[in-house]
Amino acid sequence: MTAAEARRTQRPAVIAWRRFARRRLALVSLAVLVGIAVATVGAELLAPYPAGRTHAADVLAAPGRDYLLGTDTVGRDTLSQLLFAGRVTLAVGVSVALLATLGGALVGMVAGYVGGAVDAVLMRLTDTLLALPALMVVIMAARMLGDSIFDVVLVLSLLGWMAVARIIRGKVLALRELEFVAAARAMGAGMWRVMFRHLLPNLVGEISVAVSLAAAAAILAESVLSFLGLGVSPVHTPTWGNMLGGNEGFMTVAPWLVIAPGLAIAVTVLCVNFIGDGLRDAFDVRSDGRDDQPHRRSLRGASGGSRR
């Protein structure tokens, strides 16, 4: 192994990916999630029928050759609806995860680095919001704002950043006492430069795990709201949640209307959670010696061979 290859394999991103790849369940979950995402993004190409097309002669048709997952109460193909609805559900989950993690990371970094009164005010606000019954607050906020995709993303983002803020704050409290932060301050770096140039790269692991967990929570929250009739309106925008909410009364007559979106939600959330577990292990520095021991032995062997 050349010196350049050795340096490349020792990069943090390469090491983290190697650790992640050793988690078979996380790797399989990533492949399944990518497949689901590709299928929903390419719904126009993969769906048997266009979005919203009805078949009046085939209302509540059972799964078969023409309709692999049957049809709903107005004759729409369930598989086609599932693909188009999944696009919206995944978009809501990703959007909420990114916005909530961004807001929580910013609050946590400022509170942990600045400390003092700023930390006290921000954390008391965070604790107050965490103490509120989450489902009740989400339902009330959704009722007041509306049932568009933007409204649902806004509600879930505004109420999903608190846990991320506490995690990031705890990490920053430990990092700000280290030598590299003191050195950056001594060289004249300001608060924002220290946070984004020096602290943020050391928070990649926590932020990655937070995004995955927030995405899973957002998908479940959107599904619950839509099931209750308070989420995305099913009139023009199908989601997995409102597919469940509009068909729960047909569980005994046409169970495929509930089983299909229910399985889609369950599989997606499980995959995201398993990926989050894999990311947590991949960025865990305590696994350095255990995971990289064979690699280090190979490097020592290569260096020894070059000396001989």
Side-chain angles (χ1 to χ4, degrees), residues 10-179:
Q10 289 179 335
R11 291 176 181 174
V14 176
I15 295 173
W17 169 252
R18 188 165 61 246
R19 294 179 190 150
F20 181 85
R22 288 195 179 100
R23 276 67 181 181
R24 299 281 183 86
L25 191 57
L27 201 60
V28 171
S29 298
L30 179 61
V32 173
L33 187 62
V34 169
I36 293 173
V38 170
T40 57
V41 171
E44 282 85 359
L45 300 176
L46 298 177
Y49 302 96
R53 173 176 290 184
T54 60
H55 306 84
D58 296 316
V59 174
L60 292 180
R65 185 181 62 181
D66 295 331
Y67 310 104
L68 295 179
L69 295 179
T71 62
D72 61 9
T73 55
V74 293
R76 293 175 299 191
D77 178 58
T78 303
L79 177 58
S80 301
Q81 288 292 101
L82 198 69
L83 291 175
F84 286 104
R87 178 187 301 177
V88 180
T89 298
L90 293 181
V92 170
V94 172
S95 300
V96 172
L98 294 178
L99 291 175
T101 304
L102 177 63
L106 183 60
V107 171
M109 289 174 64
V110 171
Y113 183 78
V114 176
V118 174
D119 181 29
V121 171
L122 290 177
M123 287 302 101
R124 296 300 77 74
L125 173 62
T126 302
D127 292 339
T128 301
L129 293 176
L130 282 173
L132 297 175
L135 183 59
M136 183 188 72
V137 175
V138 169
I139 290 175
M140 292 176 60
R143 175 68 70 180
M144 289 186 294
L145 287 179
D147 57 3
S148 69
I149 298 176
F150 175 80
D151 293 328
V152 172
V153 170
L154 179 62
V155 169
L156 297 179
S157 300
L158 290 177
L159 298 173
W161 59 268
M162 292 84 72
V164 180
R166 293 203 63 87
I167 295 172
I168 298 299
R169 171 186 175 268
K171 183 69 173 180
V172 171
L173 285 175
L175 290 174
R176 73 177 185 178
E177 305 299 330
L178 299 181
E179 289 80 1

Side-chain angles (χ1 to χ4, degrees), residues 272-286:
V272 174
N273 282 329
F274 287 140
I275 291 171
D277 290 341
L279 289 173
R280 182 189 59 210
D281 295 337
F283 288 104
D284 186 1
V285 296
R286 292 173 296 182

Side-chain angles (χ1 to χ4, degrees), residues 236-292:
H236 302 293
T237 310
T239 68
W240 289 341
N242 59 41
M243 286 181 69
L244 276 174
N247 297 308
E248 74 279 4
F250 295 90
M251 184 62 190
T252 57
V253 179
W256 58 86
L257 297 180
V258 178
I259 292 174
L263 279 177
I265 294 170
V267 170
T268 302
V269 171
L270 281 175
C271 287
V272 174
N273 282 329
F274 287 140
I275 291 171
D277 290 341
L279 289 173
R280 182 189 59 210
D281 295 337
F283 288 104
D284 186 1
V285 296
R286 292 173 296 182
S287 63
D288 283 346
R290 181 178 68 253
D291 285 352
D292 296 335

